[in-house]
Amino acid sequence: MSISTDAGVFDAIAAGPAGGRPVLLLHGFPQTGLVWRRQIEALAAQGYRVVAPDQRGYSPGARPQRPEDYRISHLVDDVVAITEELGWATFDLVGHDWGGAVAWWTADAHPGRVRTLAVVSTPHPGALATTLRTDEDQRSRSHYMIDWRETPTTEERMLAHDAQQLRDFYAGTVPQDSADAYVRHLSQPGALTAALNWYRAGRPDGAIGVIDVPTLYVWSTDDSAFGPAAAQETERWVNGPYRFEILQGVSHWIPEEAPEPLSHLLLDHLRAHGEYSTRSENAVVDPQKR
């Protein structure tokens, strides 16, 4: 489907009954909404209305050229615009990788709209910031972001030799047909630059707070980007009902490498908080949780 907003037209995969409980799935780098295909099938089969958009820069109809157009505030605004166009006053939000970061920020900015939050791989941004200051392991894991942000030839390097470097990201864990689809998509003129602009956009405009909505966080022990320190620190940044699940021996690409365990966790999470009403934005935060 296509979703028209003031920011542009977003391509999306949709499934499930039109009147089903709405769930929005946000992908990360370097993928598209296709990353969620197994979770889309599982949730739709249980009666959920599931939509997985190709986010800003990944959708050709929503691909501004300037890095500053990919600031986190714009990405959060896209979530709101997409769900408003879909007619969703409230929705369950799921994100992986960069989509996870957008999901954290959206739940912080719009707790009255986000019924539940589920984040895969990506720690809370506050937890990540803390460990970048205090944990050498996490600083080492995150160094690639500096390289991608500051090296003008990153796109050329990733797409050289039939996009070998891009293909190496997926090797052994992402199904070959999906990897081929991602490479074709990001080989379109301007597409990879737009995706990398998420890294080049600059720091967020403000600080993120503690999350009040029911939250599921799924991390895997073989994640090369996010280490155990940031994963464990995330609990301190959630004030609502919180569940932390660790998948042993699984890489960063959880939705495709461990589709059935992840789908099971998502369904458990959604069922556990089916009637949850989010608290006021003025809720008191336990200072011990910060």
Side-chain angles (χ1 to χ4, degrees), residues 67-89:
E68 56 265 37
D69 290 328
Y70 294 82
R71 296 181 75 89
I72 196 70
S73 57
H74 296 308
L75 306 175
V76 171
D77 287 346
D78 289 344
V79 172
V80 174
I82 288 169
T83 53
E84 286 183 344
E85 181 64 26
L86 292 170
W88 297 355

Side-chain angles (χ1 to χ4, degrees), residues 12-166:
I13 303 169
R21 176 173 159 185
V23 183
L24 190 73
L25 304 173
L26 303 177
H27 69 85
F29 178 91
Q31 299 177 300
T32 66
L34 180 65
V35 67
W36 298 112
R37 63 178 177 179
R38 296 287 294 277
Q39 289 74 42
I40 291 169
E41 293 170 359
L43 270 62
Q46 296 300 314
Y48 292 91
R49 177 60 174 174
V50 190
V51 175
D54 291 350
Q55 295 198 78
R56 177 178 291 232
Y58 294 84
S59 285
R63 186 175 290 165
Q65 296 184 355
R66 303 181 308 166
E68 56 265 37
D69 290 328
Y70 294 82
R71 296 181 75 89
I72 196 70
S73 57
H74 296 308
L75 306 175
V76 171
D77 287 346
D78 289 344
V79 172
V80 174
I82 288 169
T83 53
E84 286 183 344
E85 181 64 26
L86 292 170
W88 297 355
T90 60
F91 54 94
D92 300 286
L93 183 60
V94 182
H96 172 250
D97 188 79
W98 257 114
V102 176
W104 285 115
W105 282 93
T106 303
D108 176 62
H110 302 281
R113 296 182 64 91
V114 177
R115 181 187 292 107
T116 70
L117 174 67
V119 179
V120 184
S121 302
T122 316
H124 184 288
L128 181 59
T130 296
T131 52
L132 285 172
R133 294 192 303 269
T134 61
D135 184 63
E136 180 58 36
D137 174 65
Q138 187 56 58
R139 283 196 293 271
S140 176
R141 290 170 186 261
S142 298
H143 190 267
Y144 72 92
M145 299 184 192
I146 299 174
D147 176 42
W148 293 355
R149 185 167 60 240
E150 298 180 356
T151 306
T153 58
T154 299
E155 294 93 317
E156 181 181 343
R157 188 172 72 238
M158 288 184 178
L159 293 176
H161 309 295
D162 190 29
Q164 186 58 56
Q165 187 178 98
L166 204 56

Side-chain angles (χ1 to χ4, degrees), residues 21 23 38-48 50 94 118 216 243 259-274:
R21 176 173 159 185
V23 183
R38 296 287 294 277
Q39 289 74 42
I40 291 169
E41 293 170 359
L43 270 62
Q46 296 300 314
Y48 292 91
V50 190
V94 182
L216 167 68
R243 180 178 178 182
E260 292 183 2
L262 179 58
S263 295
H264 179 76
L265 289 170
L266 291 176
L267 286 167
D268 275 358
H269 176 61
L270 293 170
R271 290 165 181 157
H273 303 287

Side-chain angles (χ1 to χ4, degrees), residues 236-252:
R236 293 170 54 83
W237 291 84
V238 181
N239 219 27
Y242 181 66
R243 180 178 178 182
F244 177 37
E245 291 288 340
I246 300 175
L247 300 182
Q248 298 289 336
V250 177
S251 76
H252 179 74

Side-chain angles (χ1 to χ4, degrees), residues 10 67 73 87 154 185 208 213 219 222 238 260 270:
F10 293 87
S73 57
T154 299
H185 191 94
I208 190 172
V213 304
W219 176 76
D222 290 2
V238 181
E260 292 183 2
L270 293 170

